[in-house]
């Protein structure tokens, strides 16, 4: 649905040029939930805002549904923005308007539906986000999670094909965050809507995204399916972000004994998660393993497990046999030391 080629954005400042994005190339499939993650200043918001041309790229091309949107102006640009819904970090609701009037606003601006048709559509999207009984209340009477649901309903009012989420859960508590993320997943499944979200929290990516890119200083440093990036991180930025949620830890290496020991990271997926692979191999090989770190969970509905283990260094022949034995049992093995 989206193809970005050679995208760059440079801001002119009194201190000189600031390059917010450098040579971004990526593709986003229709119906995907695509995550963009990075630390503050990585260029996430700038990249997101180029997708509906709220930020005009300095270089490069952005194609949405086969159309080069960087060439659009006037009425054609306005129609593009009607096809792109946006969910904001701080809701951006009009506090002097009721919930239903906030949701009706983009329909009034578009001017394509009668008042009766607008009311019908407002009721549809409020029902979808679970706020049908809150239509006549005002934002100040709602919780933060409810206000964000109003923002989601407003973003869906014009039946967009693309939904942009700008740190949509960062202003919410953890429990409310989970409810909003479940809602986004449901919307994606029910409507087949393409969702692009930016965040600094790997837990958000893990909960909802199918694919992810990691930005660092305006460049893509890693990308791929979420399960592949999470279980086999290559770049130090990715490893650092994963360490913050306990999926990658320098502490495991710090706990390893110095000297001649070997340190391995084992990754289990699917049916192998429930098998006693490590204990069986220990008995068969006569090698004792120490577990330095471990985690289990689910990614994209699939169970996974990761163990960082240590063992006294065997001779090369036995070590290669162990690596082969792990592989034969469906366990990916990475030699850390």
């Amino acid at each position: 649905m989206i193809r970005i080629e050679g995208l760059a954005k440079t801001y002119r400042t009194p201190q000189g040029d600031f390059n917010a994005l450098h040579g971004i190339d990526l593709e986003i499939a229709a119906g995907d939930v695509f995550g963009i993650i990075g630390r503050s200043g990585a260029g996430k918001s700038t990249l997101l805002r180029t997708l509906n041309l709220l930020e005009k790229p300095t270089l490069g091309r952005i194609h949405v549904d086969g159309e080069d949107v960087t060439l659009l102006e006037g009425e054609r640009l306005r129609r593009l923005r009607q096809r792109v819904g946006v969910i904001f970090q701080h809701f951006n609701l009009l506090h002097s308007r009721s919930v239903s009037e906030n949701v009706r606003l983009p329909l009034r601006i578009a001017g394509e539906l009668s008042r009766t048709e607008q009311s019908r559509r407002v009721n549809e999207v409020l029902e979808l986000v679970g706020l049908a009984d809150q239509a006549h209340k005002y934002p100040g009477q709602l919780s933060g999670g409810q206000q964000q649901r109003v923002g989601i309903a407003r973003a869906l009012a014009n039946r967009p094909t693309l939904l942009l989420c700008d740190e949509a859960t960062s202003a919410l508590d953890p429990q409310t965050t989970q409810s909003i993320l479940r809602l986004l997943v449901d919307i994606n499944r029910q409507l087949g809507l393409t969702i692009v979200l930016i965040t600094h929290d790997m837990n958000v990516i893990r909960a909802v995204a199918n694919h992810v890119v990691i930005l660092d200083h305006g460049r893509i440093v890693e990308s791929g399916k979420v399960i592949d990036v999470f279980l086999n991180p290559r770049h130090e930025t990715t490893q650092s972000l994963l360490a913050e949620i306990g999926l990658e830890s320098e502490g495991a290496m710090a706990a390893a004994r110095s000297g001649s020991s070997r340190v391995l990271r084992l990754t289990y997926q699917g049916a192998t998660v429930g098998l006693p692979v490590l204990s069986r191999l220990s008995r068969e090989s006569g090698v004792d393993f120490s577990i330095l770190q471990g985690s289990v969970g689910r990614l994209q509905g699939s169970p996974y497990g990761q163990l960082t283990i240590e063992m006294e260094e065997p001779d090369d022949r036995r070590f290669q046999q162990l690596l082969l034995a792990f592989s034969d049992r469906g366990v990916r093995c990475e030699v850390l030391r």
Side-chain angles (χ1 to χ4, degrees), residues 239-261:
Q239 294 166 0
S240 175
L241 289 165
L242 288 171
E244 295 174 4
I245 62 170
L247 287 183
E248 184 80 8
S249 176
E250 296 178 358
M253 290 298 293
R257 292 167 293 183
S258 59
S260 60
S261 65

Side-chain angles (χ1 to χ4, degrees), residues 125-266:
V125 291
L126 286 178
E127 183 73 33
L128 180 64
V129 302
L131 290 180
D133 59 344
Q134 307 292 322
H136 301 297
K137 290 188 176 180
Y138 287 80
Q141 297 174 287
L142 304 180
S143 69
Q146 289 174 320
Q147 290 186 56
Q148 189 58 287
R149 286 173 181 265
V150 176
I152 294 172
R154 179 185 58 194
L156 297 175
N158 271 324
R159 303 183 189 275
T161 56
L162 174 63
L163 187 62
L164 307 180
C165 302
D166 187 0
E167 298 274 10
T169 60
S170 63
L172 304 174
D173 63 76
Q175 184 176 356
T176 306
T177 291
Q178 290 305 310
S179 71
I180 294 298
L181 294 178
R182 286 193 297 270
L183 176 60
L184 290 175
V185 170
D186 288 344
I187 288 170
N188 170 255
R189 290 173 178 168
Q190 290 182 44
L191 305 181
L193 196 62
T194 305
I195 298 177
V196 181
L197 60 91
I198 63 170
T199 181
H200 60 274
D201 185 352
M202 276 291 199
N203 277 321
V204 171
I205 298 296
R206 175 167 62 176
V208 298
N210 308 119
H211 294 82
V212 63
V213 297
I214 291 85
L215 289 184
D216 186 42
H217 294 92
R219 302 181 188 276
I220 294 177
V221 296
E222 194 155 1
S223 65
K225 293 181 179 179
V226 166
I227 193 166
D228 294 334
V229 171
F230 270 58
L231 297 184
N232 191 31
R234 297 299 185 185
H235 194 271
E236 61 182 16
T237 300
T238 313
Q239 294 166 0
S240 175
L241 289 165
L242 288 171
E244 295 174 4
I245 62 170
L247 287 183
E248 184 80 8
S249 176
E250 296 178 358
M253 290 298 293
R257 292 167 293 183
S258 59
S260 60
S261 65
R262 287 278 196 170
V263 179
L264 309 177
R265 179 165 54 208
L266 310 178

